[in-house]
Amino acid sequence: MAAVNREAGLFDRRIQIQIDTGDTQDAAGDPLAVWGDAFRLWSSKTDGRGREFAGAQQQVREFDTVFEVRDSTDARSVAPESHRVVYLSRIYEIVAITEGKERQDTLLILCSSRPDLRGARAPIDG
């Protein structure tokens, strides 16, 4: 994955962090997640492919996008289990969050663009 530029002016992407607010049911009675807007963060964005590992050689998840954000209380509250990123009407599932590799004042949000119900990568409605 390419290195992320750390200059302050390159945090030029405004991302929306959403939180899972619970489940409801669709017309067929299947569970449907409901998401609410939590907050926005300035970030930089890097596309590419990568893998997040846990332990010796156990692969956890693949990611294809990295959003780098400044370390803050809001950024530290983001959790892969309960949050997601929306950028330019596209949903990104959070795979993992880690500290910036070269600077300790940034966090890397490792994401996978979410497939829609047809299996294609697609923008969200709205």
Side-chain angles (χ1 to χ4, degrees), residues 48-61:
R49 292 242 176 248
R51 291 193 170 108
E52 180 68 12
F53 291 93
Q57 286 295 317
Q58 178 185 9
Q59 180 182 337
V60 176
R61 297 286 309 275

Side-chain angles (χ1 to χ4, degrees), residues 69-107:
V69 298
R70 289 185 182 93
D71 194 349
S72 67
T73 303
D74 281 343
R76 289 266 174 193
S77 72
V78 175
E81 311 80 41
S82 58
H83 292 84
R84 69 182 185 183
V85 173
V86 178
Y87 175 67
L88 295 178
S89 298
R90 188 178 210 72
I91 296 171
Y92 294 87
E93 181 180 4
I94 299 173
V95 173
I97 300 171
T98 185
E99 290 185 349
K101 302 222 183 290
E102 295 178 16
R103 290 176 43 156
Q104 295 177 348
D105 61 343
T106 63
L107 296 175

Side-chain angles (χ1 to χ4, degrees), residues 8-92:
L10 293 180
F11 288 98
D12 60 351
R13 318 273 175 125
R14 193 74 161 156
I15 60 173
Q16 177 69 49
I17 303 296
Q18 291 186 331
I19 189 166
D20 184 352
T21 59
D23 290 339
T24 188
Q25 293 182 340
D26 64 13
D30 293 323
L32 181 67
V34 178
W35 295 88
D37 292 339
F39 48 86
R40 294 179 184 268
L41 296 170
W42 286 103
S43 75
S44 63
K45 179 178 176 276
T46 304
D47 294 315
R49 292 242 176 248
R51 291 193 170 108
E52 180 68 12
F53 291 93
Q57 286 295 317
Q58 178 185 9
Q59 180 182 337
V60 176
R61 297 286 309 275
E62 285 195 17
F63 59 92
D64 56 21
T65 305
V66 177
F67 293 99
E68 184 172 15
V69 298
R70 289 185 182 93
D71 194 349
S72 67
T73 303
D74 281 343
R76 289 266 174 193
S77 72
V78 175
E81 311 80 41
S82 58
H83 292 84
R84 69 182 185 183
V85 173
V86 178
Y87 175 67
L88 295 178
S89 298
R90 188 178 210 72
I91 296 171
Y92 294 87

